[in-house]
Amino acid sequence: MTPKVKKTFFTILFMVTGVLMFAQNVKVDTDEFSPIALFMGAIEWMAPIAFLGVVSLVLFFVKFGILYFKEKLDAGKFYLKLKGFIKNGQYDEAVKTCQPHKDKILGFVFWNGLLAFNDAKKAGKQGVELEESLANALNEAGMQKAPQVTAGLHWFDIVGQVATLLGLLGTIAGLIDAFSALASLGESEQGAALTGGIAKAMGTTGFGLLVAIPTMFFKGILEGRATTIVSKIDEYSVKIVNEISNSIKK
């Protein structure tokens, strides 16, 4: 939640508190309230917020499937297998080992780097020039694929912010209804109108936060996984460069 949104939220909360204190002596019928009645009473605000909640869930499950299942690859074991081929100078075998994993970001980076290295070696490059071919290919593949890991995560920020702001707009609408009831209706009618206005004000804010908070939690889970994948790309790219550099020197 941005500082502006926080400031607006607490300002409106203060206004709602004032209305509640001012109206504490007004008799209201609390038997009319239920979650469904509260939702339907502010449907013009609740429906868009509920839609954002569904969007958040869909985004989470799609990205979760990509990061935790599609990109599932034991980098340590994969590297050890490649390391064995590299030590024995079996670079063609190393490339073939990476090929079935090209659909995964880490596998693609390794495959691209080793393929470029193998081609450069066959072309007659040696020493530093050969090492640079490998490092450049790994860096290029990493720069190409790393953004895909975090792609779409910004939508969780957008959904969370918009859900919160819609809740605040509903709060303002509810306060307007409450103040209008106090200003224009008789005592006999003020109770129901005031209760409805306050219910809309508090309900929409609560529902907005109910969507925004899990959305931020979803982003945190996915962001942690994305950071791990990118870190492994960097870590094992360096290890492969070092391993091949040592084999070249030998």
Side-chain angles (χ1 to χ4, degrees), residues 9 37 54 62 94 101 139 151 188 191 202-203 205 212-213 232 242 249:
F9 172 76
V54 173
V62 170
H101 302 285
N139 288 334
S188 59
M202 301 304 291
T205 298
I213 292 172
K232 285 183 178 180
N242 291 339
K249 290 176 184 177

Side-chain angles (χ1 to χ4, degrees), residues 9-230:
F9 172 76
F10 286 113
T11 300
I12 294 175
L13 184 62
F14 177 78
M15 293 172 64
V16 171
T17 303
V19 172
L20 290 172
M21 292 177 64
F22 181 80
Q24 61 183 342
N25 294 324
V26 177
K27 185 178 180 180
V28 297
D29 186 4
T30 56
D31 295 333
E32 296 179 0
F33 285 96
S34 68
I36 295 177
L38 188 61
F39 185 92
M40 297 306 296
I43 189 67
E44 69 274 21
W45 304 106
M46 297 292 199
I49 295 172
F51 173 76
L52 290 173
V54 173
V55 170
S56 176
L57 282 172
V58 171
L59 287 174
F60 174 71
F61 285 119
V62 170
K63 197 67 179 178
F64 186 90
I66 293 172
L67 295 181
Y68 281 88
F69 293 99
K70 181 178 179 294
E71 294 298 332
K72 187 177 181 180
L73 181 65
D74 191 325
K77 289 182 179 179
F78 190 52
Y79 166 73
L80 289 176
K81 185 183 292 187
L82 295 176
K83 184 179 178 179
F85 291 125
I86 292 170
K87 278 189 173 182
N88 296 323
Q90 298 174 295
Y91 301 114
D92 287 330
E93 291 300 319
V95 173
K96 289 179 182 178
T97 301
C98 293
Q99 197 159 3
H101 302 285
K102 285 195 313 181
D103 60 327
K104 298 176 175 61
I105 291 173
L106 192 61
F108 175 83
V109 172
F110 286 172
W111 173 80
N112 190 76
L114 290 170
L115 182 64
F117 169 81
N118 206 23
D119 290 343
K121 187 175 179 63
K122 290 178 180 178
K125 292 184 180 180
Q126 296 179 352
V128 175
E129 191 177 12
L130 192 57
E131 292 178 22
E132 287 180 349
S133 297
L134 172 63
N136 290 337
L138 288 170
N139 288 334
E140 180 183 352
M143 292 174 65
Q144 176 185 345
K145 291 293 184 177
Q148 295 180 15
V149 180
T150 57
L153 294 183
H154 68 284
W155 285 108
F156 289 97
D157 289 324
I158 294 173
V159 169
Q161 293 284 356
V162 173
T164 303
L165 292 172
L166 282 174
L168 293 177
L169 282 174
T171 301
I172 292 172
L175 287 173
I176 291 173
D177 291 345
F179 282 121
S180 297
L182 292 174
S184 61
L185 298 177
E187 289 187 10
S188 59
E189 299 173 316
Q190 281 183 351
L194 185 60
T195 301
I198 294 174
K200 179 187 289 188
M202 301 304 291
T204 52
T205 298
F207 193 48
L209 293 176
L210 193 63
V211 169
I213 292 172
T215 297
M216 295 296 101
F217 182 70
F218 293 160
K219 185 192 175 186
I221 293 174
L222 298 175
E223 206 165 42
R225 174 62 176 170
T227 301
T228 299
I229 293 174
V230 173

